[in-house]
Amino acid sequence: MYLGVGLYVRNSAQAVELYKAAFGLELGYHVLNDDGSYFHSELMKDGNEICSVVEANKPNSGGNPVQLGFTFQTKEELERAYELLKDGGTVDLEICELPWSPCAACVTDRFGVNWFLSLPQHRPSEDFKPSDCG
């Protein structure tokens, strides 16, 4: 299992440049929106992902710009966590397939923590565009 951190910010392109300079990070795998902001970006240090930076499209619940990502080994584990976390919380993305994960969901739990739940991820094809994702 893997716990990752996603940062949802306005002006994501500027944020990526700041974090690269401040922490000596490198831009890894990334997907740009049409306006040059980041649909997804991975900031790396010594080959390890430190965090991802994403353009905030809407205000996050409770003003929390951080999303924790948890990778499960089985769909059953993911579904169990999803059911527990959505109780008293808000579903931001129902369980679905995404270009980089065969099964994923986004939930803000009753404490205001944003979660991205997924099975092991893979890279989408090179011609993937953010508009391909429902």
Side-chain angles (χ1 to χ4, degrees), residues 4-10 12 15 19 23 38 41 43 50-56 60 64-68:
V5 176
L7 305 175
Y8 285 72
V9 300
R10 301 268 185 215
S12 58
Y19 302 150
F23 303 113
Y38 286 99
S41 68
L43 295 179
I50 302 301
C51 66
S52 64
V53 177
V54 176
E55 186 69 24
N60 292 67
N64 183 358
V66 175
Q67 181 182 62
L68 299 176

Short mmCIF file of all heavy atoms in Angstrom, two decimals, residues 4-10 12 15 19 23 38 41 43 50-56 60 64-68:
data_model
loop_
_atom_site.label_atom_id
_atom_site.label_comp_id
_atom_site.label_asym_id
_atom_site.label_seq_id
_atom_site.Cartn_x
_atom_site.Cartn_y
_atom_site.Cartn_z
N GLY A 4 0.00 8.75 -0.67
CA GLY A 4 0.57 9.89 -1.39
C GLY A 4 -0.14 11.17 -1.03
O GLY A 4 -1.22 11.15 -0.44
N VAL A 5 0.44 12.30 -1.41
CA VAL A 5 -0.12 13.61 -1.10
C VAL A 5 -0.35 14.36 -2.41
O VAL A 5 0.54 14.46 -3.25
CB VAL A 5 0.83 14.42 -0.20
CG1 VAL A 5 0.28 15.82 0.04
CG2 VAL A 5 1.07 13.70 1.11
N GLY A 6 -1.57 14.88 -2.58
CA GLY A 6 -1.90 15.73 -3.73
C GLY A 6 -2.23 17.12 -3.24
O GLY A 6 -2.94 17.29 -2.24
N LEU A 7 -1.71 18.13 -3.92
CA LEU A 7 -1.96 19.52 -3.56
C LEU A 7 -2.84 20.14 -4.64
O LEU A 7 -2.45 20.17 -5.81
CB LEU A 7 -0.65 20.29 -3.44
CG LEU A 7 0.38 19.69 -2.48
CD1 LEU A 7 1.68 20.48 -2.55
CD2 LEU A 7 -0.16 19.64 -1.07
N TYR A 8 -4.01 20.62 -4.27
CA TYR A 8 -4.95 21.24 -5.20
C TYR A 8 -4.87 22.74 -5.00
O TYR A 8 -5.30 23.26 -3.97
CB TYR A 8 -6.36 20.71 -4.94
CG TYR A 8 -6.52 19.31 -5.47
CD1 TYR A 8 -5.91 18.23 -4.84
CD2 TYR A 8 -7.22 19.07 -6.63
CE1 TYR A 8 -6.02 16.95 -5.35
CE2 TYR A 8 -7.34 17.79 -7.15
CZ TYR A 8 -6.74 16.74 -6.50
OH TYR A 8 -6.85 15.47 -7.02
N VAL A 9 -4.29 23.42 -5.99
CA VAL A 9 -4.01 24.85 -5.85
C VAL A 9 -4.46 25.61 -7.09
O VAL A 9 -4.61 25.04 -8.17
CB VAL A 9 -2.49 25.09 -5.64
CG1 VAL A 9 -1.99 24.39 -4.38
CG2 VAL A 9 -1.68 24.63 -6.83
N ARG A 10 -4.64 26.89 -6.94
CA ARG A 10 -4.85 27.78 -8.09
C ARG A 10 -3.46 28.14 -8.62
O ARG A 10 -2.49 28.18 -7.85
CB ARG A 10 -5.58 29.05 -7.66
CG ARG A 10 -6.93 28.78 -7.03
CD ARG A 10 -8.00 28.82 -8.06
NE ARG A 10 -9.31 28.69 -7.41
CZ ARG A 10 -10.30 28.04 -7.95
NH1 ARG A 10 -10.18 27.52 -9.14
NH2 ARG A 10 -11.45 27.95 -7.33
N SER A 12 -1.45 26.39 -10.70
CA SER A 12 -0.63 25.19 -10.47
C SER A 12 0.71 25.25 -11.19
O SER A 12 1.71 24.73 -10.66
CB SER A 12 -1.40 23.94 -10.88
OG SER A 12 -1.80 24.01 -12.24
N ALA A 15 2.93 27.15 -8.99
CA ALA A 15 3.20 26.38 -7.77
C ALA A 15 4.24 25.30 -8.04
O ALA A 15 5.17 25.11 -7.24
CB ALA A 15 1.91 25.76 -7.24
N TYR A 19 7.77 24.97 -6.01
CA TYR A 19 8.13 23.79 -5.23
C TYR A 19 9.39 23.12 -5.78
O TYR A 19 10.22 22.62 -5.02
CB TYR A 19 6.97 22.80 -5.17
CG TYR A 19 5.70 23.39 -4.58
CD1 TYR A 19 4.46 22.93 -4.97
CD2 TYR A 19 5.74 24.43 -3.66
CE1 TYR A 19 3.29 23.48 -4.45
CE2 TYR A 19 4.58 24.99 -3.14
CZ TYR A 19 3.36 24.51 -3.53
OH TYR A 19 2.21 25.05 -3.01
N PHE A 23 12.44 23.06 -3.06
CA PHE A 23 12.76 21.76 -2.48
C PHE A 23 13.68 20.90 -3.36
O PHE A 23 13.93 19.75 -3.04
CB PHE A 23 11.47 20.99 -2.19
CG PHE A 23 10.54 21.75 -1.28
CD1 PHE A 23 9.32 22.21 -1.76
CD2 PHE A 23 10.89 22.04 0.03
CE1 PHE A 23 8.45 22.92 -0.94
CE2 PHE A 23 10.04 22.75 0.85
CZ PHE A 23 8.82 23.20 0.38
N TYR A 38 -1.89 22.42 -14.58
CA TYR A 38 -1.70 20.98 -14.44
C TYR A 38 -2.99 20.26 -14.09
O TYR A 38 -3.61 20.52 -13.07
CB TYR A 38 -0.64 20.67 -13.38
CG TYR A 38 0.75 20.96 -13.87
CD1 TYR A 38 1.39 22.14 -13.54
CD2 TYR A 38 1.39 20.07 -14.72
CE1 TYR A 38 2.66 22.41 -14.01
CE2 TYR A 38 2.66 20.34 -15.20
CZ TYR A 38 3.29 21.51 -14.84
OH TYR A 38 4.54 21.79 -15.32
N SER A 41 0.36 16.46 -11.99
CA SER A 41 1.82 16.53 -12.09
C SER A 41 2.42 15.81 -10.89
O SER A 41 1.85 15.82 -9.80
CB SER A 41 2.30 17.99 -12.10
OG SER A 41 2.07 18.60 -10.85
N LEU A 43 5.85 15.58 -8.62
CA LEU A 43 7.12 16.18 -8.26
C LEU A 43 7.97 15.13 -7.57
O LEU A 43 7.53 14.48 -6.61
CB LEU A 43 6.91 17.41 -7.38
CG LEU A 43 6.19 18.56 -8.08
CD1 LEU A 43 6.00 19.73 -7.12
CD2 LEU A 43 6.94 19.01 -9.31
N ILE A 50 7.27 12.82 -4.41
CA ILE A 50 7.10 13.55 -3.15
C ILE A 50 5.64 13.99 -2.99
O ILE A 50 5.05 13.85 -1.93
CB ILE A 50 8.04 14.77 -3.09
CG1 ILE A 50 9.50 14.33 -3.23
CG2 ILE A 50 7.80 15.58 -1.84
CD1 ILE A 50 9.98 13.35 -2.18
N CYS A 51 5.07 14.52 -4.08
CA CYS A 51 3.67 14.94 -4.07
C CYS A 51 3.21 15.15 -5.50
O CYS A 51 4.01 15.13 -6.43
CB CYS A 51 3.48 16.22 -3.26
SG CYS A 51 4.29 17.68 -3.97
N SER A 52 1.92 15.34 -5.65
CA SER A 52 1.38 15.74 -6.95
C SER A 52 0.76 17.12 -6.79
O SER A 52 0.34 17.49 -5.69
CB SER A 52 0.35 14.73 -7.48
OG SER A 52 -0.77 14.69 -6.64
N VAL A 53 0.74 17.87 -7.87
CA VAL A 53 0.13 19.20 -7.86
C VAL A 53 -0.90 19.23 -8.98
O VAL A 53 -0.63 18.82 -10.10
CB VAL A 53 1.17 20.31 -8.08
CG1 VAL A 53 0.51 21.68 -8.14
CG2 VAL A 53 2.22 20.28 -6.97
N VAL A 54 -2.11 19.70 -8.64
CA VAL A 54 -3.24 19.71 -9.56
C VAL A 54 -3.91 21.08 -9.49
O VAL A 54 -4.00 21.68 -8.41
CB VAL A 54 -4.26 18.61 -9.16
CG1 VAL A 54 -5.49 18.65 -10.02
CG2 VAL A 54 -3.60 17.24 -9.20
N GLU A 55 -4.37 21.57 -10.63
CA GLU A 55 -5.11 22.84 -10.66
C GLU A 55 -6.44 22.65 -9.95
O GLU A 55 -7.20 21.72 -10.26
CB GLU A 55 -5.34 23.30 -12.10
CG GLU A 55 -5.97 24.65 -12.21
CD GLU A 55 -5.05 25.80 -11.77
OE1 GLU A 55 -3.81 25.66 -11.81
OE2 GLU A 55 -5.61 26.85 -11.39
N ALA A 56 -6.73 23.50 -8.99
CA ALA A 56 -8.00 23.43 -8.25
C ALA A 56 -9.11 23.99 -9.13
O ALA A 56 -9.07 25.15 -9.51
CB ALA A 56 -7.89 24.22 -6.95
N ASN A 60 -12.19 23.31 -2.38
CA ASN A 60 -12.24 22.04 -1.69
C ASN A 60 -13.11 22.16 -0.45
O ASN A 60 -13.24 23.22 0.14
CB ASN A 60 -10.83 21.59 -1.27
CG ASN A 60 -9.98 21.23 -2.45
OD1 ASN A 60 -9.63 22.09 -3.25
ND2 ASN A 60 -9.64 19.98 -2.58
N ASN A 64 -9.70 22.78 2.44
CA ASN A 64 -8.52 21.93 2.56
C ASN A 64 -7.93 21.66 1.17
O ASN A 64 -8.53 20.93 0.39
CB ASN A 64 -8.90 20.62 3.24
CG ASN A 64 -7.72 19.72 3.47
OD1 ASN A 64 -6.60 20.03 3.11
ND2 ASN A 64 -7.97 18.58 4.09
N PRO A 65 -6.76 22.21 0.85
CA PRO A 65 -6.17 22.01 -0.48
C PRO A 65 -5.37 20.72 -0.62
O PRO A 65 -4.79 20.47 -1.66
CB PRO A 65 -5.26 23.22 -0.63
CG PRO A 65 -4.78 23.46 0.77
CD PRO A 65 -5.98 23.14 1.65
N VAL A 66 -5.33 19.90 0.42
CA VAL A 66 -4.53 18.69 0.39
C VAL A 66 -5.44 17.47 0.23
O VAL A 66 -6.48 17.37 0.86
CB VAL A 66 -3.70 18.54 1.69
CG1 VAL A 66 -2.95 17.22 1.73
CG2 VAL A 66 -2.74 19.71 1.83
N GLN A 67 -5.03 16.55 -0.65
CA GLN A 67 -5.74 15.30 -0.83
C GLN A 67 -4.74 14.17 -0.57
O GLN A 67 -3.64 14.17 -1.14
CB GLN A 67 -6.30 15.18 -2.24
CG GLN A 67 -7.07 13.90 -2.47
CD GLN A 67 -7.56 13.79 -3.90
OE1 GLN A 67 -6.76 13.75 -4.82
NE2 GLN A 67 -8.87 13.76 -4.07
N LEU A 68 -5.12 13.25 0.29
CA LEU A 68 -4.27 12.09 0.54
C LEU A 68 -4.71 10.96 -0.39
O LEU A 68 -5.90 10.69 -0.51
CB LEU A 68 -4.40 11.64 1.99
CG LEU A 68 -3.97 12.68 3.03
CD1 LEU A 68 -4.23 12.16 4.43
CD2 LEU A 68 -2.51 13.04 2.86
#
